C-alpha cells in the first residue's frame, strides 16, 4: 500500500496551541498557481536568426553605512563601577603554552597570583594540545578587495513575497567565544569545560586554534560589514574575564580591553553588537571541584554529538550533564561575572543574552534552577540597578517537536511533553512566572520547586524569547506508553519518554534536506509552527537567535564548491520565508534573525560538517565568503524600507573599498 501523506501545519495565532492537520491524498501533486495552462510548445518553424543574448550581471554588494548615529544604553563604566564590590582588583596573568606541565611561578602565597593561575591549567591536564596558530597579537583590519564583494549569480527559484521588514529588524550573524577565539591559554584566560571535555576522538591532540578570532576579530568584523551584515552576535569568555571564575575574584585587564575593542570595532564599522554573557564555555574550575575524576569524552563514534563524561553522568544521576551549573558557588559567581561585563559594556550594547541554551550543558535540577536564577538576577541588575535601556533575553535551543500523528492525542501530548521538558522548564518560570511544568516535576524526583517569591522575581525577566532553532523532530510516545517509561528511570528513553524521529516511519521520508547532526531543513515545522507556538504560549517578541545548516562533507570540497553552498542558501531562504509568513500571515512578532555562523568554526571538535557563511582555510586563516552570506544579507536588504537609500556607503574606518584580487596569500598582503 502506498500513501502520500503530508503534514500541513495550520497555525492560527488565536489558537492556544498549533493544530497539525494530517492530510492523506493520492495521485499527482498539482500547482495551484496556474489558472489556465498553455497546451503546446510554440515550435512554428520560424527559425529566427540566432544571436548570443545572454546577460550577465556582475553586482557588487553594498557595504554597511558607516557612522550611523550612536545610541547609549546605560551609563559608562566610570559612572556605574560603584555598583560592583569596592575591592575588585584588575590585573594581568601570563600565558599557558602547549608543553607546559608544571607551575613555574613562585607567588604561591597569593590565592590569585600567577602560580594559582598556572595551577588551574595543571588541573585541567590538557595533554598534547595545540593552541598557537599564526598570530600572537591583534591584526589590524584591512579593506576587503572589491573582487570579493561580487554577489553570486542570482538564484533561479526564490521567495516571491512582497513583504517589507521594519527598518529596525535585527539581522545578523552569530558565533561564540569557545568556538572561534582560539588563544585558550593566552593573556590570562583559564580553562573552560570545552577544552577539557571535547576532543576530536583520539582522546588527545585536540586543536584549539579555532579561527584565531581573538587576534583576527577586527578583520572578521570588517568582512561582515563589507558584505552588508548589520548585527554581530558574539559571546564573552567567562574564564577570560575572570580566570578564577568565582564571585569577588580579580578581573583580567587584558580581557576587559579585548572585548571593549571588539564592541568598539563593531560600532566603528557601522554594525551593532549582540552580546551573550555565557555560551557553553563554563569555567572548568566549577566542574573540576565537583568531579576531579571526570574523564575526556570520545567523539570518535559519533562526531557532532556531545557525550558527557561518564563520571559526570553518574554523579548527577538524573539528567545528562552538569557543565558546572550545579556547583554551589555557580549562581553567585555568574551574577558577579554578569555584573562585571554589564557595567563594562552596557553603555554600547543594545541587545544582551544572558545564557545560551543552558539545558544543553546544565541540565541537572540544580543546574537548571541556577541558570534561571542567574538569568533573572542579571536581568534585574541590568534593568533596576544599571538602568539599562537595551533589551535582554535568553537563548533556548530546541529542535521543534511535532506529533507523528496529529490525529492521535497521545502523539500530540508527547510533543508537548518534550517541549515542556526541554524548553518549558526554563521558559515557563522566566517568561510566564509559572512553576516548572508538571511533566518535569512528575518525572524527576526531588525537584526543589520555585517559591512564590522566587517566581515573582524571575517572572518577566526577558524582553524577547531567543530561540535557537535549526530543525524539527517527529514525536510519538514510547511503545509501552509514557507513564510506564516515567516510572522506570532505567528506560533508555527516560526522562523524556518520547520517541524522536527525523525520518518519518509513516512515510519513509526524512523531514527535509539531510544535513549533518540530524539537523535537516524543515522550514514549515521548525520555523512557522515553532514561532506560532512560542508566540501563543509566551507572548513575547521572538529573536531567532540561531539557525543554520551544516552541509555533510562540505569541508572536503574544493574552495569554489564550498563557496557555492546552495543547500545553505536555500535553507536560509526557506526558513526566512516561513518567518515572514509567521509575521505577516499569522501575526507573530519576530524582531530578529541571527544566522549561525558568520564563518566555519570549531563545532565541538568537528570541522568537516561546517555551518559557516564563510569558509575558513585552517592553514592560512583565510576567510572566503560563501554564496549564502550574500543571499542571506540580500534577503533582508531587499525587504527594507526604500528610505534605506539614504545610506552613505563605502567610506568607513578603512576608507573606500579597494580594487584588486584576493590571491588567497598570507595575511601580510591580503590577510584573512
Ligand atoms: C489512496 O490510496 C489508498 C491505496 O490505494 C487507498 O487505500 C485510500 O483510500 C486512498 N485515499 C484517498 C483519499 O483516496
Ligand atoms: C620568583 O620568580 C621570579 C621570576 O619568575 C624571580 O625573578 C624571583 O627571583 C623569584 N623569587 C623567588 C623568591 O624565588
Ligand atoms: C593527565 O592526562 C593523562 C593523559 O590522558 C593521564 O595519563 C594522566 O593520568 C592525567 N593526569 C592527572 C593528574 O589526571
Ligand atoms: C603526547 O605526545 C607525545 C609525543 O608525540 C607522545 O609520546 C605521548 O604519548 C602523547 N601523550 C598522550 C597522552 O597521548
Ligand atoms: C584528531 O586530531 C589528530 C591530531 O590533529 C589527528 O591526527 C586525528 O586524525 C584527529 N582525529 C579525528 C577523529 O578527527
Ligand atoms: C573582596 O571582598 C570580598 C568580601 O569581603 C572577599 O571575599 C574577596 O576575597 C575580596 N576580593 C579581593 C580580590 O580581594
Ligand atoms: C557509571 O559508571 C560506570 C563505570 O564507572 C559505568 O559502567 C556505568 O554504566 C555508569 N552508569 C551510568 C548510569 O552512566
Ligand atoms: C508574570 O508577570 C506578568 C506581567 O507582569 C503578569 O501578567 C503575570 O500574572 C505574572 N505571572 C504570575 C504567575 O504571577
Ligand atoms: C528523593 O528524596 C528521598 C527522600 O529524601 C530519597 O530517599 C530519594 O533517594 C531521593 N531521590 C532521588 C532521585 O534523589
Ligand atoms: C588553504 O590554503 C593552502 C595554502 O595556501 C592551500 O594549499 C589550500 O589549497 C587551501 N585550501 C583550500 C580548501 O582552499
Ligand atoms: C586580477 O586578476 C586578473 C586575472 O588574474 C587579472 O587580469 C587582473 O589584472 C587582476 N587585477 C588586479 C587589480 O590585480
Amino acid at each position: 500500500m502506498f500513501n502520500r501523506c503530508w503534514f500541513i501545519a495550520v497555525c492560527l495565532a488565536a489558537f492556544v496551541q498549533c493544530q497539525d492537520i494530517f492530510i492523506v491524498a493520492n495521485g499527482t501533486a498539482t500547482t495551484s498557481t496556474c489558472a489556465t495552462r498553455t497546451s503546446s510548445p510554440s515550435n512554428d518553424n520560424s527559425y529566427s536568426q540566432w544571436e548570443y543574448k545572454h546577460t550577465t550581471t556582475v553586482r557588487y554588494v553594498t557595504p554597511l553605512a558607516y557612522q550611523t548615529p550612536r545610541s547609549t544604553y546605560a551609563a559608562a563604566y566610570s559612572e556605574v563601577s560603584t555598583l560592583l564590590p569596592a575591592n575588585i582588583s584588575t590585573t594581568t596573568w601570563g600565558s599557558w603554552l602547549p608543553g607546559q606541565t608544571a607551575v613555574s611561578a613562585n607567588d604561591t602565597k597569593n590565592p590569585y597570583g600567577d602560580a594559582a593561575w598556572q595551577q588551574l591549567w595543571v588541573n585541567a591536564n590538557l595533554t598534547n594540545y595545540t593552541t598557537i596558530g599564526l598570530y600572537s597579537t591583534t591584526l589590524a583590519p584591512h579593506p576587503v578587495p572589491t573582487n570579493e564583494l561580487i554577489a553570486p549569480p542570482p538564484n533561479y527559484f526564490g521567495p516571491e513575497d512582497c513583504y517589507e521588514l521594519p527598518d529596525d529588524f535585527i539581522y545578523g550573524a552569530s558565533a561564540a567565544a569557545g568556538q572561534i577565539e582560539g588563544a585558550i591559554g593566552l593573556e590570562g584566560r583559564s580553562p573552560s569545560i570545552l577544552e577539557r571535555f571535547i576532543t576530536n576522538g583520539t582522546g588527545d591532540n585536540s586543536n584549539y586554534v579555532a579561527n584565531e578570532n581573538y587576534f583576527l576579530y577586527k578583520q572578521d568584523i570588517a568582512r561582515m560589514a563589507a558584505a552588508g551584515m548589520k548585527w554581530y552576535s558574539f559571546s564573552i569568555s567567562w574564564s577570560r574575564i575572570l580566570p578564577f571564575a568565582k564571585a569577588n575574584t580579580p578581573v583580567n585587564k587584558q580581557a576587559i580591553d579585548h572585548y571593549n575593542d571588539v564592541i568598539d570595532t563593531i560600532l566603528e564599522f557601522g554594525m551593532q553588537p549582540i552580546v551573550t554573557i555565557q555560551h557553553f564555555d563554563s569555567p572548568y574550575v566549577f566542574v573540576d571541584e565537583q568531579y576531579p575524576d571526570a574523564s575526556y569524552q570520545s567523539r570518535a563514534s559519533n562526531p557532532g554529538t556531545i557525550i558527557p563524561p561518564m563520571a559526570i553522568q553518574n554523579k548527577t544521576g538524573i539528567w545528562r550533564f552538569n557543565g558546572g551549573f550545579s556547583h554551589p558557588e555557580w549562581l553567585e559567581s555568574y551574577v558577579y561575572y554578569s555584573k562585571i561585563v554589564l557595567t563594562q559594556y552596557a553603555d554600547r550594547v543594545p541587545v544582551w543574552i544572558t545564557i545560551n541554551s543552558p539545558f544543553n550543558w546544565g541540565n541537572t535540577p540544580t543546574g537548571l534552577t541556577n541558570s534561571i536564577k542567574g538569568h533573572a538576577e542579571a536581568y534585574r541588575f541590568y534593568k533596576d540597578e544599571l538602568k539599562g535601556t537595551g533589551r535582554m533575553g535568553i537563548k533556548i535551543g530546541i529542535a521543534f517537536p511535532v506529533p507523528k500523528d496529529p490525529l492521535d492525542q497521545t502523539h500530540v501530548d508527547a510533543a508537548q511533553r518534550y517541549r515542556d521538558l526541554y524548553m518549558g522548564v526554563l521558559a515557563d518560570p522566566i517568561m510566564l512566572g509559572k512553576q516548572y511544568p508538571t511533566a518535569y516535576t512528575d518525572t524527576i524526583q526531588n525537584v526543589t520547586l520555585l517559591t512564590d517569591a522566587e517566581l515573582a522575581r524571575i517572572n518577566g525577566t526577558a524582553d524577547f524569547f531567543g530561540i535557537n532553532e535549526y530543525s524539527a523532530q517527529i514525536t510519538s510516545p514510547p511503545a509501552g506508553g509514557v507513564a510506564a517509561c516515567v516510572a522506570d528511570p532505567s528506560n533508555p528513553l527516560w526522562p523524556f519518554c518520547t520517541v524522536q524521529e527525523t525520518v518519518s516511519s509513516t512515510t519513509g521520508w526524512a523531514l527535509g534536506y539531510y544535513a549533518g547532526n540530524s539537523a535537516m531543513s524543515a522550514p514549515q515545522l521548525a520555523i512557522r509552527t515553532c514561532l506560532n507556538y512560542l508566540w501563543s504560549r509566551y507572548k513575547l517578541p521572538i529573536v531567532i537567535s540561531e539557525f543554520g545548516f551544516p552541509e555533510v562533507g562540505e569541508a572536503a570540497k574544493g574552495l569554489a564548491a564550498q563557496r557555492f553552498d546552495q543547500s545553505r542558501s536555500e535553507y536560509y531562504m526557506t526558513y526566512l520565508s516561513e518567518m515572514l509568513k509567521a509575521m505577516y500571515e499569522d501575526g507573530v512578532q519576530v524582531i530578529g534573525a541571527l544566522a549561525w555562523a558568520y564563518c566555519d568554526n570549531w563545532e565541538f571538535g568537528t570541522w568537516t560538517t561546517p555551518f559557516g557563511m564563510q569558509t575558513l582555510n585552517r592553514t592560512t586563516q583565510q576567510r572566503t565568503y560563501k554564496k549564502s552570506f550574500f543571499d542571506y544579507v540580500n534577503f533582508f536588504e531587499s525587504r527594507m524600507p526604500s528610505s534605506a537609500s539614504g545610506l552613505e556607503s563605502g567610506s568607513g574606518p578603512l576608507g573606500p573599498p579597494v580594487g584588486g584580487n584576493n590571491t588567497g596569500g598570507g595575511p601580510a598582503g591580503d590577510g584573512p
Side-chain angles (χ1 to χ4, degrees), residues 261-280:
D261 197 49
V262 171
I263 291 165
D264 288 342
T265 306
I266 292 167
L267 295 168
E268 193 185 353
F269 276 90
M271 298 180 73
Q272 293 289 330
I274 297 181
V275 181
T276 299
I277 297 174
Q278 201 254 13
H279 186 122
F280 288 167

Side-chain angles (χ1 to χ4, degrees), residues 184-430:
I184 58 165
L186 306 187
E187 300 193 347
R189 185 185 179 279
S190 76
S192 84
I193 59 169
L194 297 183
E195 302 90 72
R196 182 65 179 82
F197 293 131
I198 296 172
T199 75
N200 75 352
T202 61
D204 60 4
N205 283 339
S206 283
N207 183 330
Y208 301 111
V209 172
N211 299 47
E212 294 192 70
N213 169 271
Y214 185 69
F215 297 121
L216 300 178
Y217 59 93
K218 287 176 188 286
Q219 190 59 15
D220 276 340
I221 293 162
R223 290 183 62 81
M224 281 188 263
M229 193 66 78
K230 188 73 185 159
W231 292 72
Y232 175 37
S233 170
F234 68 96
S235 80
I236 292 179
S237 161
W238 183 344
S239 67
R240 216 182 265 293
I241 296 283
L242 296 173
F244 293 90
K246 294 184 182 175
N248 299 313
T249 57
V251 176
N252 179 1
K253 181 176 189 312
Q254 287 174 293
I256 295 292
D257 293 347
H258 171 77
Y259 294 110
N260 259 322
D261 197 49
V262 171
I263 291 165
D264 288 342
T265 306
I266 292 167
L267 295 168
E268 193 185 353
F269 276 90
M271 298 180 73
Q272 293 289 330
I274 297 181
V275 181
T276 299
I277 297 174
Q278 201 254 13
H279 186 122
F280 288 167
D281 53 350
S282 291
Y284 174 61
V285 65
F286 293 118
V287 176
D288 187 32
E289 287 182 4
Q290 284 187 298
Y291 310 113
D293 57 342
S295 60
Y296 287 98
Q297 68 170 293
S298 169
R299 299 179 57 85
S301 57
N302 191 8
T305 304
I306 295 158
I307 305 163
M310 281 318 257
I312 286 181
Q313 283 193 54
N314 271 349
K315 285 184 180 172
T316 60
I318 295 173
W319 296 80
R320 285 173 56 237
F321 195 35
N322 164 26
F325 290 71
S326 68
H327 188 284
E329 291 170 84
W330 186 91
L331 178 56
E332 67 163 333
S333 302
Y334 173 81
V335 174
Y336 172 74
Y337 163 55
S338 59
K339 287 180 180 179
I340 302 276
V341 297
L342 287 168
T343 50
Q344 287 281 354
Y345 308 127
D347 55 340
R348 286 153 290 161
V349 174
V351 180
W352 287 91
I353 289 159
T354 53
I355 308 177
N356 177 60
S357 210
F359 193 91
N360 295 61
W361 293 83
N363 53 24
T364 66
T366 309
L368 289 170
T369 305
N370 280 344
S371 49
I372 291 167
K373 289 181 178 174
H375 159 85
E377 290 307 313
Y379 185 93
R380 294 284 174 212
F381 176 78
Y382 178 63
K383 297 283 173 165
D384 301 344
E385 296 184 53
L386 199 58
K387 313 284 184 211
T389 58
R391 287 179 283 196
M392 183 179 276
I394 184 170
K395 298 207 286 190
I396 296 178
I398 195 170
F400 196 74
V402 295
K404 182 166 162 184
D405 180 356
L407 302 179
D408 183 333
Q409 188 61 36
T410 67
H411 291 220
V412 174
D413 292 345
Q416 185 58 42
R417 175 181 171 80
Y418 188 88
R419 285 192 284 270
D420 284 348
L421 284 173
Y422 209 100
M423 183 161 71
V425 73
L426 294 158
D428 286 9
I430 292 171

Side-chain angles (χ1 to χ4, degrees), residues 122-123 125 127 196 203 296:
V122 171
N123 294 350
N125 189 24
T127 48
R196 182 65 179 82
Y296 287 98

Side-chain angles (χ1 to χ4, degrees), residues 564-580:
F564 213 105
D565 59 337
Q566 189 66 16
S567 55
R568 186 171 293 105
S569 268
E570 287 184 5
Y571 173 97
Y572 282 126
M573 296 309 98
T574 55
Y575 272 52
L576 292 171
S577 293
E578 290 299 311
M579 176 193 77
L580 293 179

Side-chain angles (χ1 to χ4, degrees), residues 1-19:
M1 191 173 107
F2 178 75
N3 276 340
R4 290 193 191 160
C5 302
W6 306 91
F7 274 112
I8 299 190
V10 178
C11 296
L12 302 175
F15 284 15
V16 174
Q17 223 169 281
C18 295
Q19 306 288 304

Side-chain angles (χ1 to χ4, degrees), residues 659-672:
N661 293 339
N662 190 334
T663 59
D670 290 317

